[in-house]
Amino acid sequence: MASSHSSSPVPHPRGGGGNDGIYRKDKEPSSRHYRPVRSLPDVCPKEPTGEARGLCEGPSVVAEHDRWTVYNSKVNLPAALNDPRLTKRESDFFTKTWGLDFAETEVMPSFYLPNITKEHFGPYLQETAQREKIHERCRNICPNKDDVDAVPSITNNHDKSRTELEQVPKIFMKPDFALGDPSTFNAVLPWSHFNSAGGKNSRDMASSRLLQEKLSHYLDVVEVSIARQISLRSEAFFHAMSSQHELQDRLQETQRSAAALRKRTAAVHRLMCQGPLSALRQALSRANHVRLHNKLKLMAAVHQTQPTVQLLLSTSEFVGALELIATTKEVLQQELQGIHSFRHLGSQLCELEKLIDKMMIEDFSMYSRSDLSRSLEEEGQVLEKDRLESLVFGLLRQRKLDFLDIYSEEMILAAKSIVTQCVIDSVSHIEEIDSEIVNKLADQMRLMTFPQWFELLQSVFENFILFLKRIKATLSVIRNVVLEVLDSNQKSRLLERGAGGTAEAPGALLLQGEAELAYLTHEGMFISDALNHTQQSLAAVGQEQSSAVGPGSQEQSSAVGPRSQEQSSTMGPRSQQGHCRTDVCGSDSASGTTESSSSRDPSYPPGGGAGVTSNEEMMPTDLELGRVANNIQELLYTASDVSHDRCVKVLMARAKDGSLERLSSAEFVCLSRAVEGFVRDTEELCCRRSMSLRGALQSQANRFVHRFHEERKTKLSLLLDNERWKQAEVPAEFQDLVNSISDGRITLPERKPIASEDRKPSEYLHIDGQKYAVVGTVLLLIRIFLEYCQCVNDIPSIATDMLTRLSDLLKHFNSRSCQLVLGAGALQVVGLKTITTKNLALASRCLQLVVHYIPVIRAHFETKLQPKQYSVLRHFDHITKDYNDHIAEISAKLVAIMDSLFEKVLSRYEVKAPMPSVCFRNVCKQMAKMHEAIYELLPEEQTQMLFLRINASFKMHLKRQLARLGVVNDGGPQQGLVGVDIAFYTENVQALRTLEKLDLSMAEIWEQKR
């Protein structure tokens, strides 16, 4: 009854149970672990799909094929019942109901019952161990009667049957026993015992009968053995025979139910499955055709890349060309990888990108040259701003970060050309300079007069200011582009971090067509689960929040598996990218231009999300962009330094022959103001303190100060050498000059065209309520140190040097006046006959005037110095001390003159009539002359102090003479005569102006030495 194919009513075995089709129980089931729920045996296989068949070769559940018969069964009933490998026959084989309980399954342990182990019975076993040993010992001593009788009988029957079977020849037991084999037939029936030639004799008949009986005996032995075996299994056999009819009835009922199920399933398949499955197949086919169409459009767009790039390059749209090349390369790597027709396009695009790099660098060089060399008078600070932004963005995108070096080189050349052009323009308006004879620009500048050269310098300054403004505006545009790119990079990173969680979430957005694909790729038990899973994913992503999913839905979503997610994530976005790139790679020039202009805004790079990634990979890092921004600021500093250096060249070319040293103070002040103004403007414009031009001006200022000082020192020396030390009239302009100083204006007054006849000169110089009788040299000295102060006001950088030179000038005046007056140098230099007391008093008063103005000069210079330079102010302290010492020496000289006179006159004094004596008359006469000489020159306080010192000298000499004469204060006649002379002296001295209240104290002449 064995058959070749079709299904069997017996369930198939699970793996490892043999290939005979017999269902067997697991021998070692695991009772302590949960086993997975097993589905029903696959008696209804899937619909054939044209692929290799699965585990089951049976009939279709849907369509009825060949009618099934018992011959299609794989095993027969006796073989199933007489399986020798079964230790125990299943008695309910024909009575079990087909279903989940047909195969023996394990019962899951209850969650509410504890897991009982052997350890739980330990105490009980210990209690009963002794009784069990006694029971076993008793059972061995007194065995069961039934068991004792049954064992020998069974053993005897078994030995008897084995002995009988051993009588049967072994040839009958061979598995290849067949009487058709001649050798086997001859061995069973030995023909040698039969004589075929003669007739049958009694011997042959006996042999034949004996052979027949022997074979019959063998047959009886085998039949008895078989009957014995059948008798051992008779109960199961008769039970199986009794269940045969019931099994046939149930099989017929099952056949009828299966036929009805197939009919209903076929109807369901025809009504509900064929249409939807056909629609899904058509949707999948349509999606494949759409993808193919998009791929073909993408290939057509990529095919037009090179013409479009050439069109963009013809309009200098480098950024658009680079974006198109990058997008095309990305499409080739992701979407069109492996297409044979585009195998050389990638290398061609790389070469084209290198060509664009060279073109951008050359174009930027041409732009820099045209921008910096154009006329400075043109309006508009930035030339072709859009072109510059496009170039800078393209260079940054290609990491060509050294483009600022090109701009720096062009800037230096432009700075040189500015100076050259200014000189050429200035020389063209000067007829005295022939440019054909004098070729060098420096020689041409030295041939100019100072006003012409100063006008040229101002023109250079103005042009460089415009030049720096233009550079700053251009660099500001470049800097804005760099900062925009930097800001775009930072925003892109923030967006990526924010979108990272959404991208990794399982509920990604499904594009159009993915819902249909979910039906085809779903591997769950029910196809409706795919729609539920898709709807749940869309709802979860739309609300941007995670929804709680039950265990059943989790199994369903896991049943969808990675295949559906992978297919949906690859088909949807790629088709969308294909659309985007088709638009980007279009051959229309207008679209290419629009793309390139929009690509300058790094916040919206073309090509969708893939474009953002590509741009981020190509763009410089934040550190590199920061360095470029710093280099831009350094380039502005370099522009300021270059401008200053070129102006230094102009300045030094003029100063080469020493012409700047010969400038007047007004001209040098104008030059200094112009340079300071230019330096200040460049500092405000570039935020850079360039020192080259200041250093050159300081060098020229030092030379100017040296010449300025030497001229005024020489002038002062000449004035002093020609000074006759007589009181000079004070012009009104000098009085106005000192008045302005008193008002705090330490500057030279402007010249006023007022007639000098309106205001007459005065005899004295009135300062702060005091009268100063001065010589002409001191008036000019006041003007000279005001010129020094004025230079410091105009050129603050020379304050320290000018202070040193002014200190030297004041020292020179002090020392030279001392030589001429106190040292009597004026007798030989000017030809004075003698140095009179009036000369001495006038010199003292002039020195006092200078001392009066030293604190004013000190305060003025202190405002012009830095705090760390205040140490140089100590020169004024030394000068003040020297002047005061000089004044004291003049006063001492005046006292010494009278002292020598007293010594000479009083040495001839005699106490005798007539009174007053001649000596006292001469003394009073000389005192009157002294008073007359100094009264109008020195102030009242100084006059009184001077006469007190003279009176002290007079008393000393008179006392000495009286002691020599022996006149004492004894009330005698000589004392009386001396008293008359003293009264005459006192009356005459106190009769002088401002000396009325002078206390002469003549009583000291009478004090005797003890």
Side-chain angles (χ1 to χ4, degrees):
M1 290 176 63
S3 180
S4 61
H5 66 279
S6 189
S7 62
S8 172
V10 191
H12 289 280
R14 294 184 299 275
N19 297 326
D20 54 359
I22 303 300
Y23 174 80
R24 295 196 303 272
K25 292 170 59 179
D26 291 334
K27 294 184 179 180
E28 295 180 358
S30 175
S31 61
R32 297 182 183 180
H33 302 282
Y34 296 108
R35 299 185 56 135
V37 178
R38 292 174 294 187
S39 60
L40 293 175
D42 192 5
V43 297
C44 298
K46 297 180 181 179
E47 180 184 2
T49 57
E51 300 177 353
R53 290 182 180 270
L55 297 174
C56 183
E57 299 288 344
S60 172
V61 180
V62 179
E64 187 71 50
H65 297 281
D66 298 334
R67 183 175 181 80
W68 186 86
T69 63
V70 294
Y71 299 104
N72 295 330
S73 176
K74 290 185 178 181
V75 295
N76 52 18
L77 185 60
L81 296 175
N82 297 320
D83 187 0
R85 290 171 294 184
L86 291 178
T87 57
K88 181 180 179 180
R89 182 178 294 107
E90 298 180 12
S91 60
D92 59 346
F93 182 81
F94 296 102
T95 60
K96 288 192 296 185
T97 304
W98 184 264
L100 294 175
D101 298 331
F102 186 83
E104 292 186 3
T105 58
E106 300 174 1
V107 179
M108 291 186 181
S110 174
F111 294 103
Y112 302 100
L113 296 179
N115 187 13
I116 304 300
T117 61
K118 188 176 181 180
E119 285 74 10
H120 291 82
F121 298 94
Y124 173 77
L125 293 176
Q126 290 178 359
E127 292 177 1
T128 60
Q130 187 64 29
R131 288 185 290 174
E132 183 183 5
K133 292 180 181 179
I134 297 172
H135 175 73
E136 290 291 336
R137 187 165 56 252
C138 296
R139 190 176 65 174
N140 293 331
I141 296 173
C142 302
N144 191 2
K145 183 177 181 181
D146 295 336
D147 295 339
V148 172
D149 296 338
V151 171
S153 61
I154 293 173
T155 304
N156 294 333
N157 292 333
H158 182 69
D159 294 339
K160 182 177 180 180
S161 61
R162 179 180 295 179
T163 303
E164 292 176 352
L165 285 176
E166 288 178 354
Q167 296 176 3
V168 181
K170 299 298 182 183
I171 190 172
F172 294 102
M173 300 300 178
K174 291 182 178 180
D176 56 348
F177 175 80
L179 292 177
D181 187 4
S183 60
T184 304
F185 184 83
N186 291 330
V188 173
L189 299 175
W191 290 103
S192 60
H193 296 283
F194 301 98
N195 188 3
S196 61
K200 297 182 178 179
N201 49 25
S202 60
R203 185 179 179 179
D204 293 337
M205 290 298 291
S207 298
S208 174
R209 190 178 299 110
L210 181 60
L211 179 62
Q212 186 176 2
E213 291 177 359
K214 186 185 294 186
L215 293 176
S216 297
H217 176 69
Y218 292 159
L219 179 61
D220 293 339
V221 170
V222 171
E223 287 180 351
V224 169
S225 179
I226 292 175
R228 185 180 293 112
Q229 294 294 331
I230 290 175
S231 66
L232 294 176
R233 293 178 172 85
S234 60
E235 182 181 357
F237 177 75
F238 288 112
H239 183 272
M241 294 301 294
S242 63
S243 302
Q244 181 72 18
H245 297 289
E246 183 180 357
L247 177 61
Q248 290 179 355
D249 294 339
R250 292 192 180 186
L251 288 175
Q252 290 177 359
E253 183 181 356
T254 302
Q255 184 180 3
R256 288 193 298 272
S257 299
L261 177 63
R262 287 192 181 99
K263 185 181 297 184
R264 287 195 299 272
T265 307
V268 170
H269 175 72
R270 183 176 61 256
L271 296 176
M272 301 183 64
C273 297
Q274 287 183 349
L277 287 175
S278 176
L280 292 178
R281 291 191 187 94
Q282 291 178 0
L284 180 60
S285 177
R286 182 180 181 279
N288 291 334
H289 282 82
V290 170
R291 291 174 59 194
L292 177 61
H293 181 254
N294 292 335
K295 191 77 71 175
L296 292 175
K297 289 197 298 182
L298 188 60
M299 293 176 62
V302 169
H303 182 67
Q304 295 295 324
T305 297
Q306 289 181 327
T308 307
V309 169
Q310 294 176 358
L311 181 63
L312 292 173
L313 293 180
S314 63
T315 58
S316 298
E317 291 289 344
F318 300 108
V319 178
L322 290 173
E323 291 288 349
L324 182 56
I325 290 174
T327 306
T328 304
K329 289 170 68 175
E330 185 181 356
V331 169
L332 287 176
Q333 293 176 359
Q334 296 182 1
E335 303 291 339
L336 304 180
Q337 188 175 9
I339 295 181
H340 189 265
S341 60
F342 290 149
R343 65 187 183 278
H344 299 304
L345 184 58
S347 59
Q348 294 174 358
L349 292 177
C350 291
E351 294 297 329
L352 192 59
E353 193 172 8
K354 294 179 181 178
L355 177 62
I356 293 176
D357 292 345
K358 296 179 180 178
M359 293 178 64
M360 282 195 301
I361 293 175
E362 184 64 26
D363 197 12
F364 184 78
S365 178
M366 293 176 59
Y367 173 84
S368 302
R369 191 178 302 113
S370 60
D371 179 45
L372 296 174
S373 61
R374 61 192 175 102
S375 176
L376 297 172
E377 298 177 357
E378 293 183 8
E379 296 182 357
Q381 294 291 335
V382 181
L383 178 66
E384 299 181 10
K385 183 177 179 181
D386 294 338
R387 177 187 174 190
L388 175 61
E389 291 177 345
S390 176
L391 284 172
V392 173
F393 187 79
L395 292 170
L396 290 176
R397 190 184 185 280
Q398 296 302 108
R399 290 181 177 268
K400 302 296 181 181
L401 306 181
D402 56 346
F403 64 94
L404 293 177
D405 297 338
I406 301 174
Y407 194 84
S408 178
E409 294 174 358
E410 296 295 336
M411 178 182 67
I412 294 174
L413 296 176
K416 293 180 179 179
S417 63
I418 286 175
V419 175
T420 303
Q421 188 64 36
C422 289
V423 174
I424 293 174
D425 294 342
S426 298
V427 171
S428 63
H429 295 86
I430 302 175
E431 298 178 356
E432 293 80 3
I433 301 176
D434 191 354
S435 58
E436 296 180 358
I437 300 175
V438 183
N439 296 325
K440 295 184 178 180
L441 298 179
D443 296 337
Q444 293 176 0
M445 285 189 286
R446 282 191 287 271
L447 292 176
M448 296 179 183
T449 62
F450 177 77
Q452 294 171 346
W453 177 83
F454 186 68
E455 184 179 356
L456 167 64
L457 184 63
Q458 288 181 326
S459 176
V460 172
F461 286 164
E462 293 175 359
N463 288 336
F464 271 121
I465 292 296
L466 297 176
F467 179 68
L468 291 176
K469 288 182 179 179
R470 178 172 297 174
I471 292 176
K472 184 176 182 180
T474 303
L475 294 181
S476 297
V477 174
I478 298 176
R479 183 182 180 87
N480 290 336
V481 173
V482 173
L483 294 180
E484 287 178 3
V485 174
L486 182 60
D487 184 62
S488 174
N489 290 349
Q490 296 175 353
K491 288 182 179 179
S492 300
R493 284 196 300 272
L494 292 177
L495 290 176
E496 287 180 357
R497 293 173 184 173
T502 306
E504 295 175 359
L509 284 175
L510 296 177
L511 300 177
Q512 184 177 4
E514 291 190 2
E516 291 82 1
L517 293 176
Y519 288 103
L520 300 180
T521 59
H522 186 65
E523 297 178 354
M525 185 177 297
F526 303 103
I527 210 167
S528 59
D529 295 339
L531 179 60
N532 297 332
H533 174 68
T534 303
Q535 291 176 351
Q536 291 174 1
S537 301
L538 290 174
V541 176
Q543 297 175 359
E544 295 184 356
Q545 59 182 3
S546 60
S547 59
V549 182
S553 60
Q554 288 181 355
E555 292 179 1
Q556 294 170 6
S557 61
S558 63
V560 176
R563 250 179 56 191
S564 62
Q565 295 179 0
E566 180 182 359
Q567 190 169 358
S568 62
S569 62
T570 52
M571 292 181 63
R574 286 184 182 177
S575 62
Q576 190 178 14
Q577 291 177 4
H579 288 296
C580 297
R581 289 174 183 133
T582 303
D583 298 337
V584 172
C585 301
S587 59
D588 190 5
S589 61
S591 65
T593 306
T594 305
E595 188 274 341
S596 63
S597 61
S598 64
S599 66
R600 292 177 195 144
D601 186 2
S603 301
Y604 305 96
V612 173
T613 305
S614 177
N615 284 343
E616 287 183 354
E617 293 177 354
M618 292 183 178
M619 282 297 180
T621 61
D622 293 352
L623 181 60
E624 292 174 338
L625 291 174
R627 290 175 180 172
V628 172
N630 292 334
N631 291 338
I632 291 173
Q633 189 63 35
E634 290 295 333
L635 186 57
L636 184 61
Y637 296 159
T638 303
S640 176
D641 294 340
V642 168
S643 302
H644 281 245
D645 292 341
R646 303 317 302 178
C647 293
V648 169
K649 295 285 186 182
V650 176
L651 194 64
M652 300 309 294
R654 178 70 179 182
K656 188 174 182 180
D657 59 350
S659 58
L660 293 182
E661 300 176 14
R662 297 189 294 271
L663 294 178
S664 65
S665 59
E667 290 174 342
F668 194 85
V669 166
C670 292
L671 174 62
S672 176
R673 287 178 178 176
V675 172
E676 288 292 336
F678 174 71
V679 171
R680 185 171 55 254
D681 292 342
T682 54
E683 287 180 1
E684 293 177 357
L685 191 60
C686 303
C687 301
R688 170 78 167 188
R689 187 177 179 85
S690 299
M691 301 304 298
S692 58
L693 187 57
R694 272 200 174 98
L697 179 64
Q698 184 66 38
S699 176
Q700 295 302 319
N702 293 336
R703 297 179 183 179
F704 168 76
V705 167
H706 178 73
R707 184 194 57 80
F708 179 86
H709 175 65
E710 290 299 326
E711 287 182 355
R712 278 145 185 80
K713 187 175 181 180
T714 303
K715 181 179 180 180
L716 182 61
S717 298
L718 292 175
L719 290 174
L720 288 173
D721 291 341
N722 294 317
E723 181 60 56
R724 301 189 67 84
W725 296 101
K726 291 183 179 180
Q727 184 178 0
E729 293 182 347
V730 180
E733 60 180 7
F734 281 95
Q735 185 61 52
D736 295 338
L737 189 64
V738 296
N739 292 338
S740 65
I741 295 174
S742 301
D743 295 338
R745 295 190 299 272
I746 316 298
T747 56
L748 290 173
E750 298 179 358
R751 296 181 179 273
K752 297 181 180 179
I754 301 177
S756 60
E757 292 82 5
D758 295 342
R759 301 178 62 186
K760 296 180 180 180
S762 61
E763 294 182 357
Y764 299 96
L765 193 63
H766 298 275
I767 301 174
D768 297 336
Q770 292 189 10
K771 297 187 302 180
Y772 286 89
V774 295
V775 296
T777 303
V778 174
L779 293 177
L780 295 177
L781 178 62
I782 294 175
R783 185 175 183 88
I784 288 172
F785 72 67
L786 283 180
E787 290 177 355
Y788 277 79
C789 295
Q790 183 67 39
C791 281
V792 172
N793 291 339
D794 297 332
I795 315 173
S797 60
I798 62 174
T800 304
D801 196 11
M802 194 64 75
L803 186 147
T804 305
R805 304 302 174 94
L806 180 57
S807 301
D808 181 68
L809 184 71
L810 294 175
K811 291 179 181 179
H812 176 70
F813 174 78
N814 186 34
S815 61
R816 188 58 180 165
S817 60
C818 182
Q819 294 173 2
L820 292 175
V821 180
L822 285 178
L827 300 179
Q828 292 81 19
V829 176
V830 187
L832 294 180
K833 294 180 180 181
T834 182
I835 301 299
T836 63
T837 57
K838 192 169 186 178
N839 299 136
L840 292 172
L842 189 59
S844 176
R845 195 58 174 164
C846 292
L847 293 173
Q848 293 174 19
L849 178 61
V850 176
V851 170
H852 173 77
Y853 279 114
I854 286 178
V856 178
I857 299 171
R858 178 193 174 106
H860 178 73
F861 273 89
E862 188 174 0
T863 60
K864 305 300 179 182
L865 294 175
Q866 299 294 331
K868 61 182 179 180
Q869 298 173 337
Y870 285 167
S871 59
V872 298
L873 296 174
R874 66 179 183 275
H875 293 301
F876 289 112
D877 298 333
H878 300 324
I879 293 171
T880 303
K881 182 178 180 303
D882 293 340
Y883 271 73
N884 289 329
D885 292 343
H886 190 186
I887 294 171
E889 289 177 2
I890 292 177
S891 299
K893 183 64 175 178
L894 291 174
V895 174
I897 291 174
M898 296 303 296
D899 184 78
S900 61
L901 176 64
F902 292 151
E903 184 179 4
K904 180 181 179 181
V905 173
L906 292 179
S907 63
R908 299 191 298 269
Y909 176 65
E910 294 179 356
V911 182
K912 60 180 181 179
M915 293 297 167
S917 63
V918 177
C919 291
F920 272 76
R921 290 180 183 271
N922 291 333
V923 168
C924 291
K925 182 178 180 181
Q926 294 299 326
M927 293 281 283
K929 288 182 178 180
M930 171 66 74
H931 182 268
E932 183 181 359
I934 67 173
Y935 168 73
E936 299 292 338
L937 302 179
L938 298 178
E940 182 177 350
E941 296 81 5
Q942 293 184 17
T943 304
Q944 293 177 357
M945 292 300 298
L946 180 62
F947 272 89
L948 285 176
R949 293 177 62 188
I950 293 173
N951 181 55
S953 176
F954 172 75
K955 290 189 293 182
M956 181 186 66
H957 287 285
L958 179 59
K959 183 178 181 179
R960 188 180 301 166
Q961 183 64 24
L962 291 177
R964 187 183 302 118
L965 294 176
V967 180
V968 294
N969 187 14
D970 55 359
Q974 287 186 339
Q975 181 184 3
L977 294 176
V978 173
V980 173
D981 285 336
I982 290 173
F984 176 75
Y985 167 78
T986 302
E987 182 180 356
N988 280 276
V989 171
Q990 291 181 348
L992 300 176
R993 289 185 180 182
T994 68
L995 302 179
E996 293 86 359
K997 299 180 180 181
L998 190 64
D999 186 10
L1000 300 179
S1001 302
M1002 297 304 294
E1004 297 175 359
I1005 62 174
W1006 300 111
E1007 292 181 0
Q1008 297 295 328
K1009 187 175 182 181
R1010 296 181 182 179

